[in-house]
Amino acid sequence: NAGVTQTPKFQVLKTGQSMTLQCAQDMNHNSMYWYRQDPGMGLRLIYYSASEGTTDKGEVPNGYNVSRLNKREFSLRLESAAPSQTSVYFCASRGISGAANYGYTFGSGTRLTVV
Amino acid sequence: GIQVEQSPPDLILQEGANSTLRCNFSDSVNNLQWFHQNPWGQLINLFYIPSGTKQNGRLSATTVATERYSLLYISSSQTTDSGVYFCAVTNDYKLSFGAGTTVTVRA
């Protein structure tokens, strides 16, 4: 049981380049999330998907787009990368409502540097 | 969103010592989790504890939902306990994180 899998683990982009961060979960979770973590800070929500077919903005959505491809996969796209998007990106999914553990599971993160 | 305050911001322990980390939150919640971020950046889920008390080895946690706080206890600390401990809460879909407590355990 892999949990939440993110790819790639590391990426360096030049300003203006685009890329897509991939996330997949194998726990049959309905909701999925993208967070970013900047040095010395907690995580901030970029976008989330409460269920397959829906997406919503979080705290810091500017410069990003998302796609909930199916129940398992939720991707994050940077259309024109900027140095301010240098961060560690975490994908998460949440257990099923009513389950004993209705908690979040996080992937191992993608460390992105924009130069 | 819900405001989450963690204290202390930093904690230095001698190996074998016990400690308590605190998390206060500003609204009622239906989810509270404690995470450990290790030096490699991985976020490890320690406890899902919206209320009550749980124990897992040397770690235990208590959440008093009516008073809007949670405590994480580390007993007989080891160097592998070093890292940042985050409290995170939600009452809808959006998990809000505290700024974390950085724990350093010295041999």
Side-chain angles (χ1 to χ4, degrees), chain B residues 48-67:
Chain B
Y48 164 73
I49 185 166
S51 63
T53 297
K54 291 186 177 180
Q55 180 155 8
N56 185 1
R58 297 180 295 102
L59 301 180
S60 62
T62 295
T63 298
V64 183
T66 53
E67 297 186 23

Side-chain angles (χ1 to χ4, degrees), chain A residues 37 40-43, chain B residues 6 8-10 21 34-39 42-44 46 72 80-87 98-104:
Chain A
Q37 183 180 28
M41 298 179 68
L43 278 68
Chain B
Q6 292 187 241
D10 299 281
L21 283 59
W34 284 97
F35 295 92
H36 175 218
Q37 189 165 41
N38 64 25
Q42 288 182 301
L43 273 171
I44 309 299
L46 298 176
L72 178 70
T80 52
D81 295 330
S82 295
V84 184
Y85 289 80
F86 289 105
C87 171
T101 294
T102 301
V103 174
T104 303

Side-chain angles (χ1 to χ4, degrees), chain B residues 65-84:
Chain B
T66 53
E67 297 186 23
R68 299 182 184 169
Y69 74 89
S70 183
L71 302 173
L72 178 70
Y73 305 96
I74 306 174
S75 64
S76 304
S77 58
Q78 300 177 358
T79 56
T80 52
D81 295 330
S82 295
V84 184

Side-chain angles (χ1 to χ4, degrees), chain A residues 28-74:
Chain A
N28 199 34
H29 288 174
N30 286 331
S31 51
M32 298 184 71
Y33 307 80
W34 278 104
Y35 287 85
R36 62 178 286 174
Q37 183 180 28
D38 299 306
M41 298 179 68
L43 278 68
R44 293 183 293 167
L45 182 64
I46 305 171
Y47 270 93
Y48 67 100
S49 171
S51 61
E52 186 179 356
T54 68
T55 60
D56 285 285
K57 296 178 179 179
E59 273 183 271
V60 288
N62 292 343
Y64 305 96
N65 286 302
V66 290
S67 295
R68 184 74 183 267
L69 302 171
N70 46 55
K71 190 171 187 179
R72 291 186 64 248
E73 298 172 287
F74 188 39

